[in-house]
């Protein structure tokens, strides 16, 4: 799914109004109806609903929502700034419609302190939408601070007030902290970055019928990975095929005390379809690997640590989990990279070794995939102030080195050399455990070996990894699930695809 900027979303509204055609106030009504459809499924009639509406079109959405909820017999109270009723045209029209309903109380923001909010009350934020371009201050900042202190179910319409759609917010910004956000049609880029996404809660996309010609024909550089994209990537197996059709994966991983990382990466490669799988590791891990990964073949690169990688096959290599950071291993890695031309996958200790002398980054074969978490990225390319800056630096380095960068985060980003960014929206906090990255390395390596392009292998692998984690969380809980559970759950994801 494409991610549009705030200005593109505004242009999409205008295009829809002109080409459907439809009046702007009726488009607002349609958006409000979609919100109410969702809210009516969630809110019981005994729960009191309090809507806080600004002067712009986001407030207009709120007025329309209040009216429609009242028609469904909900107990609704609306708060506005009664000293400043300079509404936008569409907001004014919906406010006038609302005023005609005697059953809806309209109060001033200053009266919020007089209300006794029950814990099951619903507070709906319709103060500012995606057009906001300044920090909130004054009485509205005071109001939002008050609302954030109230124990209630909090829902934002379109975007939590105080957030900018496309950029970072200041650390001391005033922002409404929502439990859920009802976003119209699209994700906003800000939702997908940790500094901002923490205020959004659970995101629900509501299709309000914006014109498909605009969405299809407008060029963007940012995308979310959805099932539409995955369906264009996934290739079901042909019946008349053999192991040679599905590639040869070499997992170069593990060292003394870190053999588990090699096991996880190897098992993940096996479980995600690699035709032939080898684990190149330390002799000290031989019995462990042969016991736990019986389908894989073992090759030695040293006794306790990597001394030399002696593999001449033109196969696909995934390097790094538990590899170790010894000087001899560093030399072995650099010499190996110098000898390779085909794309490979680098993670964990392989990245840590490269960060010791970043001049060695030039030896990474073009179109390879690296998978750093934020600290690994900083060691490789430099410290950035926030995830937005980190992403911009990743775009520069991806183009400069002609590699794909998988920036691991809550919403992992795949950065391509041409500047496209794909945000993953599968997965959960149960992946915040040691070993999860080793599993991802194995999946990417396996898909690359199966002749998926580097771009498709990275996108598909990150999505698979997240989906498998979601299946595992449902079965075991986020707290109890383990990386091995994610590997086992890959079968559920592949079954769901077919």
């Amino acid at each position: 799914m494409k991610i549009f900027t705030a200005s593109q979303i505004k242009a999409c509204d205008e295009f829809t109004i002109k080409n459907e055609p439809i009046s702007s106030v009726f488009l607002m009504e349609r958006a409000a109806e979609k919100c109410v459809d969702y809210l009516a499924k969630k809110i019981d009639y005994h729960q009191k609903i309090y809507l806080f509406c600004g002067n712009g079109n986001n407030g207009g959405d709120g007025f329309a929502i209040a009216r429609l909820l009242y028609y469904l017999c909900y107990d609704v109270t609306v708060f506005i700034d009664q000293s400043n009723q300079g509404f936008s045209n569409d907001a004014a029209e919906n406010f006038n419609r609302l005023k005609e309903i005697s059953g809806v109380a309209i109060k001033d923001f200053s009266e919020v302190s007089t209300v006794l909010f029950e814990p099951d009350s619903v507070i709906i934020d319709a103060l500012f939408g995606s057009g906001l371009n300044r920090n909130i201050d004054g009485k509205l900042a005071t109001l939002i601070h008050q609302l954030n202190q109230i124990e209630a179910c909090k829902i934002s319409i379109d975007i939590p007030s105080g957030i900018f759609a496309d950029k970072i917010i200041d650390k001391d910004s005033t922002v409404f902290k929502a439990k859920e956000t009802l976003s119209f049609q699209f994700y906003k880029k800000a939702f997908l970055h940790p500094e901002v996404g923490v205020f959004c809660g659970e995101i629900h996309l509501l299709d309000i019928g914006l014109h498909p010609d605009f969405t299809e024909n407008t060029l963007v550089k940012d995308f979310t990975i959805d099932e539409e994209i995955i369906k264009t990537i996934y290739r079901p197996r042909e019946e008349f095929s053999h192991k040679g059709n599905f590639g040869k994966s070499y997992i170069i991983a593990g060292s003394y005390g870190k053999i588990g990382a090699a096991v996880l990466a190897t098992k993940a490669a096996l479980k995600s379809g690699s035709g032939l799988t080898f684990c190149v590791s330390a002799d000290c891990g031989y019995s462990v690997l042969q016991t736990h990964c019986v389908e894989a073949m073992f090759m030695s690169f040293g006794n306790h640590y990597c001394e030399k990688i002696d593999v001449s096959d033109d196969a696909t290599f995934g390097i790094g989990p538990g590899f170790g950071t010894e000087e001899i291993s560093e030399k072995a890695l650099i010499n190996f990279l110098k000898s390779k031309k085909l794309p490979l996958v680098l993670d964990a200790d392989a990245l840590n070794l490269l960060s010791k002398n970043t001049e060695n980054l030039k030896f990474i074969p073009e179109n390879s995939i690296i998978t750093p978490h934020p600290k690994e990225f900083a060691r490789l390319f430099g410290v950035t102030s926030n995830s937005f800056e980190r992403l911009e630096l990743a775009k520069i380095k991806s183009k400069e080195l002609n590699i794909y960068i998988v920036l691991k985060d809550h919403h992992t980003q795949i950065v391509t050399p041409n500047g496209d960014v794909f945000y993953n929206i599968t997965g959960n906090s149960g992946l915040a455990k040691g070993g999860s990255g080793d599993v991802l390395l194995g999946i990417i390596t396996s898909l690359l070996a199966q002749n998926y392009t580097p771009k498709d292998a990275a996108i598909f692998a990150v999505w698979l990894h997240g989906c498998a984690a979601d299946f595992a969380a449902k079965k075991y809980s986020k707290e109890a699930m383990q990386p091995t559970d994610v590997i086992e759950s890959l079968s559920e994801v592949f079954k769901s695809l077919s």
Side-chain angles (χ1 to χ4, degrees):
M1 177 183 289
K2 293 179 177 180
I3 300 175
F4 294 103
T5 64
S7 60
Q8 287 175 322
I9 292 171
K10 182 179 179 182
C12 187
D13 288 345
E14 293 170 350
F15 185 93
T16 302
I17 290 165
K18 179 180 179 181
N19 292 279
E20 187 169 336
I22 184 176
S23 70
S24 58
V25 74
F26 193 79
L27 182 60
M28 183 177 284
E29 187 79 1
R30 197 155 73 190
E33 288 171 353
K34 291 293 184 179
C35 290
V36 170
D37 287 345
Y38 174 83
L39 294 168
K41 294 174 184 176
K42 179 179 181 64
I43 304 172
D44 291 330
Y45 284 104
H46 74 274
Q47 294 177 268
K48 293 184 178 180
I49 303 172
Y50 301 92
L51 285 108
F52 292 81
C53 301
N55 289 10
N57 283 350
N58 194 242
D61 293 330
F63 296 141
I65 290 167
R67 170 169 45 82
L68 295 172
L69 286 171
Y70 175 80
Y71 290 156
L72 293 177
C73 300
Y74 285 98
D75 184 347
V76 179
T77 301
V78 173
F79 288 82
I80 64 169
D81 182 359
Q82 292 183 338
S83 67
N84 177 16
Q85 296 187 26
F87 300 121
S88 68
N89 291 337
D90 291 343
E93 183 164 343
N94 272 302
F95 181 63
N96 289 332
R97 290 181 186 178
L98 185 67
K99 285 196 300 182
E100 295 173 1
I101 302 173
S102 60
V104 176
I106 299 175
K107 298 178 178 290
D108 186 72
F109 291 150
S110 63
E111 297 180 76
V112 69
S113 58
T114 67
V115 178
L116 180 61
F117 291 89
E118 298 293 334
D120 65 351
S121 298
V122 179
I123 294 175
I124 297 179
D125 159 38
L127 292 167
F128 292 97
S130 57
L132 182 70
N133 56 14
R134 59 176 177 81
N135 290 333
I136 298 174
D137 55 17
K139 66 169 68 175
L140 285 171
T142 300
L143 172 67
I144 290 173
H145 283 303
Q146 286 180 285
L147 296 178
N148 284 342
Q149 298 304 312
I150 296 170
E151 183 181 348
C153 176
K154 297 168 189 172
I155 300 173
S156 285
I157 303 302
D158 190 37
I159 189 170
S161 292
I163 287 177
F164 309 128
D166 310 319
K167 60 183 181 178
I168 193 73
I169 55 176
D170 296 335
K171 288 184 178 180
D172 58 351
S173 294
T174 298
V175 180
F176 181 86
K177 188 169 178 58
K179 182 179 179 182
E180 300 181 57
T181 297
L182 309 185
S183 183
F184 298 137
Q185 203 95 16
F186 315 113
Y187 280 92
K188 277 74 171 175
K189 182 175 180 176
F191 293 171
L192 303 166
H193 284 260
E195 301 91 341
V196 182
V198 67
F199 294 101
C200 302
E202 190 174 343
I203 307 293
H204 303 280
L205 299 186
L206 306 181
D207 187 343
I208 63 171
L210 295 176
H211 206 291
D213 286 354
F214 184 94
T215 57
E216 290 170 11
N217 297 326
T218 301
L219 298 177
V220 302
K221 300 296 284 182
D222 297 325
F223 306 82
T224 57
I225 304 171
D226 57 16
E227 290 196 13
E228 290 297 314
I229 289 177
I230 296 303
K231 287 175 183 177
T232 67
I233 294 174
Y234 173 54
R235 300 197 305 266
R237 292 196 169 207
E238 297 289 343
E239 290 301 324
F240 291 93
S241 55
H242 55 82
K243 62 188 177 185
N245 296 127
F246 303 110
K248 188 183 291 186
S249 303
Y250 281 84
I251 302 298
I252 304 177
S255 59
Y256 184 77
K258 299 178 181 178
I259 296 301
V263 171
L264 290 170
T266 304
K267 288 176 76 71
L270 290 163
K271 201 74 172 180
S272 49
S274 173
L276 285 168
T277 306
F278 294 79
C279 184
V280 184
S281 191
D283 285 335
C284 63
Y286 172 79
S287 59
V288 174
L289 286 159
Q290 289 285 266
T291 302
H292 288 278
C293 306
V294 296
E295 301 89 348
M297 290 161 276
F298 180 87
M299 295 179 67
S300 171
F301 62 30
N303 186 18
H304 285 82
Y305 306 102
C306 178
E307 298 166 12
K308 183 180 180 182
I309 305 171
D310 191 13
V311 182
S312 58
D313 275 4
D314 285 334
T316 301
F317 300 90
I319 313 172
F323 186 76
T325 56
E326 286 69 27
E327 186 175 340
I328 191 172
S329 301
E330 180 182 3
K331 291 178 180 177
L333 173 65
I334 301 307
N335 288 333
F336 181 75
L337 292 179
K338 288 178 180 178
S339 72
K340 294 301 171 187
K341 300 297 182 185
L342 294 177
L344 44 75
V345 191
L346 298 168
D347 182 39
D349 282 342
L351 301 179
N352 293 329
L353 290 172
L354 287 169
S355 70
K356 290 184 176 182
N357 180 2
T358 55
E359 286 295 313
N360 289 327
L361 290 169
K362 65 186 178 185
F363 299 124
I364 300 175
E366 290 190 349
N367 293 309
S368 291
I369 302 165
I370 68 170
T371 63
H373 59 55
K375 288 186 177 180
E376 289 167 344
F377 182 87
R379 287 194 286 267
L380 284 168
F381 301 120
V383 176
T384 52
S385 298
N386 54 65
S387 66
F388 286 81
E389 287 188 10
R390 183 168 64 241
L391 178 58
E392 291 307 308
L393 180 57
K395 290 180 186 178
I396 293 169
K397 294 302 180 181
S398 177
K399 181 178 180 180
E400 180 183 303
L401 297 168
N402 196 23
I403 60 174
Y404 293 83
I405 300 179
V406 176
L407 280 174
K408 292 188 287 195
D409 209 329
H410 180 65
H411 293 296
T412 292
Q413 299 124 55
I414 296 94
V415 183
T416 71
N418 71 355
D420 288 341
V421 178
F422 293 84
Y423 289 84
N424 188 49
I425 53 175
T426 62
N428 59 76
S429 58
L431 285 170
K433 295 184 176 75
S436 294
D438 305 331
V439 174
L440 179 60
L441 177 283
I443 299 171
I444 298 176
T445 306
S446 171
L447 295 178
L448 195 59
Q450 292 172 65
N451 210 31
Y452 285 90
T453 66
K455 173 183 171 182
D456 287 350
I459 291 171
F460 192 18
V462 170
W463 183 87
L464 279 171
H465 186 243
C467 272
D470 290 336
F471 276 107
K474 287 179 183 177
K475 185 172 183 180
Y476 299 107
S477 80
K478 295 175 185 177
E479 291 80 5
M481 62 179 274
Q482 296 297 311
T484 48
D485 300 322
V486 175
I487 295 170
E488 292 305 312
S489 296
L490 285 168
S491 59
E492 296 298 321
V493 185
F494 281 112
K495 284 196 291 184
S496 72
L497 283 173
S498 59

